Amino acid sequence: MTRELHVATDIDEIKLKLARREAEQQRLTNLEFRLADIVEDELENFDFVQARFVLTHLLNQQKALEKMWEAIHPGGILAIEDIDFRGHFCHPECAAFSRYVELYTKTAQRRGADPNIGPRLPGLLIKARFEAVQIKVVQLVAMSGESKLMAPLTMETIADSVLAEGLASRAEVDRLIHDLYEFARDPDTVVSGPRVVQTWGHRPRS
Ligand SMILES: C[S@@+](CC[C@H](N)C(=O)[O-])C[C@H]1O[C@@H](n2cnc3c(N)ncnc32)[C@H](O)[C@@H]1O
């Protein structure tokens, strides 16, 4: 019996280390983790390639799709999942949340990334010659638990970049982080993740 091999890649060795540890804990043995740049490095032929929440960060998404085309054998499938930050919502309205969405969007755009890439994905796949391209929208939404903390945690992560871009003061960033945690801890509030667009297509057989 042949054993399927799954290869997971990232450009950051720290992320790979964390993923390797999690795979060990879950006793997943048919997984190999490799350091690779999705835009530059070659990969061998796979039946199925998936990239989640990576293209949003790239300056050259089309080149990444060309590399993935080369990594998929004819007839194989590509699946991309990525964000549309415009669909990030909460209830009730919250000034700190709106400002967080604005700061994330502006910081990413100033750095050449696309925080709203989701709806562009099918067109990018078609341009890269994939066929039978399809699209679906999914969205995480929470009233409690860890996923409700995504906004304050992300605000903490992007704080230095926001400051470096001169988009807010340290005092404002600290206040936003505080207000976002308060909002998330309130059991009466609802917080979504960004809208997520899933798109997939085939590399033609010939
Ligand atoms: C938001 S995380 C998503 C991680 C994972 N794919 C997931 O779905 O949970 C974005 C990841 O993209 C990786 N990344 C950014 N640029 C990359 C590139 N050029 N090649 C490969 N990985 C890259 C980062 O190191 C980071 O781990």
Side-chain angles (χ1 to χ4, degrees):
M1 196 174 79
T2 52
R3 213 158 147 268
E4 272 184 9
L5 177 68
H6 301 268
V7 176
T9 68
D10 200 285
I11 203 171
D12 182 348
E13 189 55 65
I14 294 169
K15 303 277 171 55
L16 290 171
K17 208 171 157 186
L18 290 168
R20 275 190 203 102
R21 195 189 305 154
E22 195 171 328
E24 272 172 34
Q25 283 165 357
Q26 296 196 26
R27 299 182 200 285
L28 298 172
T29 53
N30 57 343
L31 262 172
E32 188 182 309
F33 294 91
R34 289 190 205 158
L35 192 67
D37 183 334
I38 199 172
V39 184
E40 300 296 338
D41 293 327
E42 309 291 333
L43 284 170
E44 65 261 33
N45 277 354
F46 291 98
D47 299 324
F48 178 79
V49 169
Q50 187 234 14
R52 188 179 75 155
F53 306 150
V54 184
L55 266 64
T56 181
H57 299 292
L58 304 180
L59 308 188
N60 192 345
Q61 302 113 3
Q62 203 67 49
K63 191 166 174 214
L65 287 168
E66 282 162 22
K67 285 281 173 198
M68 287 187 260
W69 165 277
E70 287 161 14
I72 297 170
H73 70 60
I77 298 171
L78 173 73
I80 303 288
E81 197 171 15
D82 227 314
I83 57 171
D84 180 358
F85 228 74
R86 292 167 299 188
H88 212 341
F89 70 89
C90 69
H91 181 80
E93 273 189 28
C94 167
F97 190 85
S98 303
R99 179 72 171 141
Y100 153 70
V101 170
E102 181 189 0
L103 289 175
Y104 182 98
T105 303
K106 282 191 175 160
T107 305
Q109 287 171 338
R110 286 209 183 168
R111 294 176 172 224
D114 185 355
N116 306 325
I117 192 172
R120 284 180 55 221
L121 291 171
L124 292 174
L125 262 69
I126 290 165
K127 196 170 167 200
R129 295 171 288 147
F130 287 94
E131 289 184 346
V133 173
Q134 296 186 55
I135 185 168
K136 186 178 172 184
V137 167
V138 292
Q139 189 156 24
L140 183 148
V141 61
M143 295 173 67
S144 61
E146 269 185 22
S147 30
K148 213 179 167 189
L149 298 177
M150 201 190 300
L153 288 169
T154 305
M155 191 63 232
E156 284 175 335
T157 307
I158 66 167
D160 288 345
S161 305
V162 169
L163 296 176
E165 294 296 338
L167 291 168
S169 66
R170 178 85 251 175
E172 187 191 4
V173 166
D174 288 346
R175 197 174 58 249
L176 282 177
I177 292 168
H178 170 270
D179 290 353
L180 288 167
Y181 273 116
E182 288 288 294
F183 189 78
R185 285 186 187 121
D186 181 341
D188 292 336
T189 62
V190 171
V191 182
S192 81
R195 178 161 50 224
V196 173
V197 174
Q198 299 175 330
T199 188
W200 61 97
H202 292 261
R203 176 172 166 166
R205 288 192 187 280
S206 54

